[in-house]
Amino acid sequence: MKKRDKITMILLTAALLGCGGCSSKAQSASLMDFQAKVEWKTPMPAAGDKPKILFVGNSHTYYNNLSEMFVNITKASGHKSSVRELSSGYYTLKQYADTDDQGGALLDKTLSEQSWDFVILQEHIANSLSEDDMFPSSRILDEKIKKSGGQTAFLMVWTPKKGMNHRKPEQIQSKIASNNITIAQELDSLVIPAGISFMRCKEQYPDIELWDQDGQHPSPEGSYLAACTAYAVIFQESPENCSYIGDLDQDLALKLQMVAADTVLN
């Protein structure tokens, strides 16, 4: 188990075209208008002076130190936070919900022994496409998180650059978004729409490379965009003009900050 410590209700309206009352099978074929305005659920209660935040995920979270980027954005924007990360390659929420699994046992202990204001759950891409894989484990973890007094936030993962299973990126991202939105609505939880930020950025700034060379994991730009999106959701503030930009060019970082702000707050 690789572990590293690093110290949004959704209104679908026009976002999912033709999805009202449709079946799960039909939803998988529906394409999202990624530029449409979506009213995301806001934290309730709002983030305090120094929220305790736990990131839970796999390599999509630990690539480029996403949680550390979040901490640095938060600090540079005038806030304090206490952030920890539990992540391991290929891990799914099903494994994290299983106390017989090493990672699941560790998460269960972390949730039972400490209080968290926010627990950010990042599902595996493949499981994000399946209600049967994602939803039951999400319910188990959400119950534990709320029992400990925290708020659940689903970090919506991004499609592989070229799509998968003979489906285009827009189709994959639409299904991932639909499933994240659906389970968040059911559980009255938050969504960090990083995947939608990716698609918006891809359309608005096609020259920005958001994926690593493998076409799966995020590039530093992609991780920074996801971190900015998380910041906008948790603190309900725009990350625009944040002084922390990592190793990115200032103009490029500003574009990513603006995309995140527009996705979440406008």
Side-chain angles (χ1 to χ4, degrees), residues 18-139:
C19 247
C22 60
S23 68
S24 176
K25 182 177 180 180
Q27 284 185 15
S28 66
S30 300
L31 291 181
M32 177 176 242
D33 177 3
F34 299 109
Q35 300 297 331
K37 180 179 179 179
V38 181
E39 185 175 346
W40 303 98
K41 175 181 170 63
T42 59
M44 188 65 68
D49 294 335
K50 189 178 180 181
K52 293 185 64 178
I53 303 169
L54 176 64
F55 282 77
V56 179
N58 55 35
S59 55
H60 282 66
T61 290
Y62 72 66
Y63 249 61
N64 307 309
N65 297 322
L66 191 156
S67 62
E68 185 174 359
M69 284 186 175
F70 174 85
V71 170
N72 290 332
I73 292 168
T74 298
K75 183 178 179 180
S77 300
H79 297 284
K80 295 181 180 180
S81 62
S82 176
V83 176
R84 184 179 178 188
E85 176 188 319
L86 298 179
S87 59
S88 185
Y90 301 104
Y91 251 60
T92 66
L93 295 187
K94 183 177 181 179
Q95 288 173 286
Y96 281 119
D98 181 4
T99 55
D100 290 329
D101 181 274
Q102 184 179 6
L106 179 58
L107 176 57
D108 185 72
K109 180 179 180 181
T110 302
L111 292 175
S112 62
E113 294 183 352
Q114 301 180 54
S115 61
W116 300 94
D117 296 299
F118 299 94
V119 179
I120 298 174
L121 303 176
Q122 177 253 307
E123 177 64 288
H124 190 283
I125 290 177
N127 285 30
S128 295
L129 294 169
S130 169
E131 298 96 323
D132 291 339
D133 289 330
M134 182 180 182
F135 289 8
S137 52
S138 296
R139 295 180 184 117

Side-chain angles (χ1 to χ4, degrees), residues 66-256:
L66 191 156
S67 62
E68 185 174 359
M69 284 186 175
F70 174 85
V71 170
N72 290 332
I73 292 168
T74 298
K75 183 178 179 180
S77 300
H79 297 284
K80 295 181 180 180
S81 62
S82 176
V83 176
R84 184 179 178 188
E85 176 188 319
L86 298 179
S87 59
S88 185
Y90 301 104
Y91 251 60
T92 66
L93 295 187
K94 183 177 181 179
Q95 288 173 286
Y96 281 119
D98 181 4
T99 55
D100 290 329
D101 181 274
Q102 184 179 6
L106 179 58
L107 176 57
D108 185 72
K109 180 179 180 181
T110 302
L111 292 175
S112 62
E113 294 183 352
Q114 301 180 54
S115 61
W116 300 94
D117 296 299
F118 299 94
V119 179
I120 298 174
L121 303 176
Q122 177 253 307
E123 177 64 288
H124 190 283
I125 290 177
N127 285 30
S128 295
L129 294 169
S130 169
E131 298 96 323
D132 291 339
D133 289 330
M134 182 180 182
F135 289 8
S137 52
S138 296
R139 295 180 184 117
I140 292 171
L141 293 173
D142 178 74
E143 183 177 0
K144 292 182 180 181
I145 292 165
K146 288 177 177 173
K147 185 177 180 180
S148 67
Q151 298 182 61
T152 302
F154 291 97
L155 175 58
M156 183 193 298
V157 76
W158 38 91
T159 174
K161 183 177 181 179
K162 296 183 179 179
M164 60 187 294
N165 300 331
H166 306 291
R167 294 160 69 185
K168 295 180 179 180
E170 293 77 11
Q171 294 174 303
I172 296 297
Q173 192 62 64
S174 294
K175 183 58 177 174
I176 291 173
S178 175
N179 282 347
N180 275 262
I181 287 167
T182 299
I183 192 61
Q185 283 183 315
E186 176 190 322
L187 300 174
D188 193 23
S189 298
L190 302 169
V191 172
I192 297 171
I196 294 177
S197 290
F198 267 59
M199 300 307 288
R200 281 185 170 224
C201 186
K202 179 183 174 184
E203 293 179 20
Q204 296 175 19
Y205 305 108
D207 292 337
I208 297 179
E209 182 53 74
L210 300 175
W211 285 268
D212 188 56
Q213 291 182 352
D214 64 8
Q216 301 278 339
H217 295 97
S219 66
E221 291 85 349
S223 292
Y224 185 80
L225 176 58
C228 285
T229 305
Y231 173 84
V233 171
I234 299 300
F235 289 97
Q236 289 295 291
E237 292 181 1
S238 171
E240 290 175 81
N241 299 309
C242 174
S243 61
Y244 171 74
I245 60 174
D247 296 327
L248 304 181
D249 173 84
Q250 187 170 3
D251 290 339
L252 187 153
L254 179 58
K255 290 176 181 177
L256 297 174

